[in-house]
Amino acid sequence: MSSVVDTSLSPVDALPGERAAPEQGIALCLSGGGYRAMLFHLGAVWRVAELGLLGAANHTCRKADGSLHSAGSLQRISSVSGGSLTAGVLGLKWPALAVDQPNVVERYIEHVVTPIRAFAGITLAGADPKGVLKMIWNIVSPGSVNDHIIAAYKKHLFGDATLQDLPDSPRFVINASNLQSGALWRFMKPYMRDWRVGEIKRPTVSLAQAAAASSAFPPVLAPAPFNFADSDYTPNSGGSGSDNLQHAPFTTGPILADGGVYDNLGLETTFKRYQTLLVSNAGAPFNVEGNVHSDWVRLGKRCIDVMDNQVLSLRKRLLVGNLAAGFRSGAFWDIEQDIAVHHCPNALSCAPDKTMDLARIATDLEAKDDATQERLINWGYAVCDAAIRGHFDSSLPAPKGFPYARGVG
């Protein structure tokens, strides 16, 4: 069987005006998965920062076979849902991190880890009775559920910051799904856009709104409605022919939902542009079910889960196939992996049964105790390290230990 990946069958679409070939540069992708993903990615970015990969300097890596490869520098951070909470705080605090100066990890802990861990101790929506009561209160009290999530994000993470408070470089991309057009809606500092609806330059949407749209997983936290004027859009920036939706109600009232509805890896905005991809996946493992419920609600959810799993599997195969074939460089790590699959020397000890327990934590915005937080952060840190040193740069130093002494179990 040929190892060549047929990119013409890619689930990542090439859109009009986009580059035919990727350019040098590193992109970091942070998947969805609620608080579970937020904390897992917090650990992964911790290790990325420790390895010096957040800086502006070009990175030359040594492959396992001894060959050298110039990867360039970090150009883009693309995020979805829970990953957008980590990315949003990272982007907002970017100036304070001074990533090219010594002791960046200390500043990362102060400005990113500490506020996110405090936020992870607050229940916004969960499956236990407290979480259900919180959701019911959000629904019956004044304002939509999305409004309450925005208010919580503003209070605990972002304040009144907008997309204009993100750095110019690297480019932060917060992804949501447009339920009207069926396309991806990208929130960025220079513009936000849906390729069919058009673009709005220099948007002043709040970071809390963008993150709330990116994490508006259905049905409870969706939809995330927006109101704009036709004049806000760059003229003739939508699609062409039957793909052109640059008119009301698509322009004036976009209705968005969790970015994972379209692409839970955050891969869409990076795969087509950059040669080096570092992809962190904390999506929930797909569970097989011997007995499928026949009531409409649970049967419908099961059908959605199966469809989501197939879309995610296609994107994973595209990414891993391209990495294996050498069409892209970088690394992919997954919350449900056995760390041994990376064949990385001196990897941190992570028992598979313990890490699978972490992978099975529910996808929600329910408070996590200190022990769970630290285990998730440690696991993201450890598997990110193993993937990067095992597949991207074998010359990088092994870690001295976990961020927190309790390990993963």
Side-chain angles (χ1 to χ4, degrees), residues 98-396:
V99 295
D100 290 307
Q101 301 300 317
N103 305 316
V104 63
V105 171
E106 286 82 352
R107 295 187 292 277
Y108 176 73
I109 294 170
E110 177 186 356
H111 294 290
V112 181
V113 175
T114 298
I116 288 179
R117 286 204 58 186
F119 178 65
I122 300 168
T123 293
L124 298 184
D128 70 353
K130 180 180 178 182
V132 171
L133 288 173
K134 184 77 173 182
M135 287 185 284
I136 292 173
W137 171 249
N138 284 345
I139 291 170
V140 301
S141 62
S144 70
V145 174
N146 188 249
D147 289 337
H148 285 278
I149 296 298
I150 291 170
Y153 288 176
K154 282 188 174 184
K155 179 180 179 180
H156 299 288
L157 293 179
F158 304 120
D160 292 324
T162 75
L163 294 173
Q164 296 309 304
D165 291 300
L166 294 174
D168 292 317
S169 181
R171 173 77 58 82
F172 282 78
V173 185
I174 296 174
N175 296 286
S177 304
N178 191 331
L179 298 181
Q180 294 164 310
S181 69
L184 196 70
W185 185 284
R186 314 174 187 193
F187 292 98
M188 299 178 284
K189 181 176 182 176
Y191 61 86
M192 60 183 180
R193 76 183 294 251
D194 172 319
W195 74 274
R196 301 185 70 184
V197 177
E199 72 171 15
I200 297 177
K201 291 183 176 179
R202 309 296 295 181
T204 56
V205 167
S206 72
L207 271 177
Q209 285 178 290
S214 183
S215 60
F217 48 87
V220 177
L221 301 185
F226 286 79
N227 293 293
F228 304 117
D230 276 323
S231 59
D232 292 333
Y233 290 80
T234 301
N236 303 314
S237 60
S240 60
S242 62
D243 287 324
N244 190 333
L245 298 178
Q246 195 168 354
H247 56 81
F250 303 100
T251 49
T252 55
I255 299 175
L256 309 184
D258 193 298
V261 173
Y262 187 94
D263 169 20
N264 202 45
L265 289 182
L267 192 63
E268 182 79 16
T269 64
T270 61
F271 182 85
K272 296 170 288 186
R273 188 174 183 103
Y274 295 107
Q275 180 64 34
T276 301
L277 305 170
L278 303 177
V279 182
S280 182
N281 181 37
F286 180 74
N287 294 318
V288 298
E289 291 187 3
N291 297 310
V292 176
H293 296 283
S294 58
D295 60 275
W296 289 1
V297 173
R298 287 181 290 183
L299 178 61
K301 181 182 182 302
R302 182 60 178 174
C303 290
I304 292 172
D305 288 345
V306 171
M307 289 186 287
D308 286 347
N309 181 62
Q310 288 306 301
V311 173
L312 179 59
S313 295
L314 284 171
R315 291 185 183 272
K316 282 185 180 181
R317 286 199 292 270
L318 167 73
L319 173 63
V320 174
N322 273 267
L323 291 173
F327 298 150
R328 296 289 191 283
S329 61
F332 169 71
W333 56 93
D334 195 307
I335 196 169
E336 62 173 316
Q337 285 175 333
D338 182 339
I339 198 169
V341 304
H342 298 295
H343 304 289
C344 179
N346 302 311
L348 293 169
S349 178
C350 298
D353 60 328
K354 300 298 184 182
T355 58
M356 276 306 300
D357 286 343
L358 295 173
R360 294 190 184 104
I361 291 173
T363 302
D364 56 27
L365 302 179
E366 184 176 335
K368 302 294 181 280
D369 59 41
D370 284 346
T372 300
Q373 289 187 29
E374 292 179 3
R375 291 172 64 212
L376 279 166
I377 292 169
N378 283 345
W379 176 220
Y381 176 98
V383 72
C384 167
D385 167 74
I388 287 178
R389 291 195 298 115
H391 304 289
F392 175 57
D393 188 350
S394 63
S395 70
L396 291 169

Side-chain angles (χ1 to χ4, degrees), residues 28 30 54 74-79 87 90 94 170-173:
L28 174 64
L30 306 179
L54 291 183
L74 181 67
Q75 298 296 314
R76 179 165 296 195
I77 298 176
S78 176
S79 62
L90 182 69
W94 194 262
R171 173 77 58 82
F172 282 78
V173 185

